[in-house]
Amino acid sequence: MKTIGVIGAGQMGAGIAQVSAQAGYRVLLSDMSVELVEKAKVGIGKLLARNVAKGKMLPEEVDTVLGRITPAADHSDFAPCDLIIEAASERESTKRAIFESVGKHVGPETLLATNTSSIPITRLAQSVPDPARFMGVHFFNPVPVMGLIELIRGLATVDATVDAIEIYGRSLGKNIIHADDAPGFIVNRILMPMINEACFALGEGVANIADIDMGCRIGLNHPMGPLTLADFIGLDTCLDICRVLHEGTGDQKFRPAPLLIKYVEAGWLGKKTGRGFYDWTGPEPVPTR
Ligand code: 3HC
């Protein structure tokens, strides 16, 4: 593989573009507008500059890496890609529309993948030209730091697709795990009930935000507490994944906590909106309850 297409220049898409460019791939990156891609490139440039300041990267490498990332104005620009990874928002209709559009411009060798955190791969495969060359490639946030990719094959995915994408993933320096196409795959199936339970505990008055988070951070040695992590992931994304788990398994243990639903309805979506369980507008996050 030489050229990777990334559709969606949000935190996941930008991260995938960054690590791919750092590994030497040519990257075509798109979003709703070229301005959004340019904004993502500025963010990537800042992260790379931090690496330079820490002595982990040479200053001239920053321009080389950024130079490998080209904004794609239209899905027809993705024609030369060996692999196209969709990292748009976690809405099935959005993802389907993207695959239906980009699928018209790819050749018979191009592999398509989705970074979905929980939508069934076999269902999304109905929107791609060849389900044999399609699978889930689930990165973790922040992509440049987290050393894991979860690979999920759909019912029709062939071994050659899995093998090629596994080689790509390893070339980024990531560890690879394989999951069945079951709701939440491996990691979110385990992580989201913890975040959801933290929301139940907060809603039921078991403890305040700071103590729930410190309990997991210090008592369990997690790098951040579940409510902080939820704010990082986005409470809307957490709720979407809880709903997929709940609806996909039919198991009541996955029902979303009322408080999580309420926060999403209030537009308190976490760090990206300045408020979730924490107020993120100041220099340090401040717990809100
Ligand atoms: N982008 C790039 N690099 C980042 C970063 C970001 N957003 N945030 C932190 N870093 C880098 C720092 O620059 C630093 O790099 P260095 O080792 O070269 O100096 C390193 O990460 C450690 O950062 P800090 O010292 O500032 O802070 P921490 O030690 O607290 O680490 C963290 C930050 C790595 C984010 C850590 O808190 C962590 O691991 N948190 C949990 C993250 C997690 O669980 N992610 C998975 C979420 S679930 C998911 O993505 C699935 C989805 O489907 C929902």
Side-chain angles (χ1 to χ4, degrees):
M1 282 188 202
K2 288 193 172 63
T3 307
I4 309 294
V6 182
I7 301 179
Q11 57 182 2
M12 297 306 287
I16 297 166
Q18 178 185 333
V19 295
S20 299
Q22 283 186 272
Y25 295 97
R26 188 173 162 240
V27 177
L28 290 163
L29 179 61
S30 80
D31 206 306
M32 308 282 272
S33 70
V34 170
E35 288 69 34
L36 285 172
V37 178
E38 292 297 352
K39 201 172 145 211
K41 275 187 80 172
V42 171
I44 294 170
K46 284 186 186 154
L47 289 174
L48 297 176
R50 261 170 38 188
N51 288 342
V52 173
K54 287 181 212 152
K56 292 183 169 178
M57 205 173 176
L58 294 170
E60 52 270 30
E61 284 179 306
V62 173
D63 285 342
T64 308
V65 171
L66 288 176
R68 291 191 189 121
I69 305 174
T70 309
D74 189 272
H75 285 163
S76 61
D77 293 345
F78 287 104
C81 291
D82 301 299
L83 166 65
I84 300 171
I85 302 172
E86 168 279 318
S89 59
E90 196 62 4
R91 222 165 299 121
E92 190 166 338
S93 55
T94 306
K95 292 182 185 292
R96 280 180 175 277
I98 286 171
F99 284 123
E100 274 155 23
S101 163
V102 78
K104 293 186 189 123
H105 303 285
V106 300
E109 302 293 323
T110 309
L111 302 178
L112 293 177
T114 173
N115 180 53
T116 182
S117 41
S118 61
I119 300 171
I121 305 304
T122 302
R123 217 157 70 201
L124 284 176
Q126 289 170 20
S127 300
V128 303
D130 181 5
R133 289 183 289 117
F134 174 70
M135 68 183 298
V137 50
H138 183 209
F139 288 78
F140 292 82
N141 186 32
V143 178
V145 182
M146 305 301 284
L148 187 75
I149 296 176
E150 199 174 29
L151 294 184
I152 310 101
R153 59 193 301 162
L155 208 53
T157 312
V158 296
D159 289 347
T161 302
V162 181
D163 295 347
I165 295 184
E166 178 157 354
I167 290 169
Y168 157 74
R170 289 196 193 282
S171 75
L172 307 180
K174 307 292 187 196
N175 296 284
I176 304 291
I177 55 175
H178 295 267
D180 192 18
D181 188 15
F185 316 133
I186 302 172
V187 177
N188 278 330
R189 183 181 177 131
I190 297 168
L191 170 67
M192 284 307 153
M194 182 183 72
I195 288 178
N196 197 36
E197 200 55 38
C199 298
F200 272 114
L202 181 65
E204 289 168 19
V206 174
N208 65 27
I209 291 171
D211 283 358
I212 290 172
D213 272 356
M214 193 187 286
C216 293
R217 214 162 29 79
I218 299 181
L220 299 174
N221 235 354
H222 290 185
M224 49 175 62
L227 299 172
T228 306
L229 183 56
D231 272 5
F232 267 94
I233 293 169
L235 304 192
D236 49 345
T237 303
C238 292
L239 180 58
D240 285 344
I241 300 171
C242 286
R243 285 189 166 136
V244 166
L245 284 166
H246 188 210
E247 286 158 21
T249 61
D251 193 328
Q252 274 298 97
K253 76 179 176 191
F254 293 117
R255 72 205 181 286
L259 190 71
L260 178 61
I261 298 170
K262 213 178 233 177
Y263 272 45
V264 172
E265 284 172 351
W268 295 351
L269 306 183
K271 197 163 181 245
K272 63 186 169 188
T273 57
R275 170 155 191 170
F277 293 111
Y278 291 81
D279 179 343
W280 293 91
T281 53
E284 292 293 328
V286 179
T288 55
R289 306 161 64 124

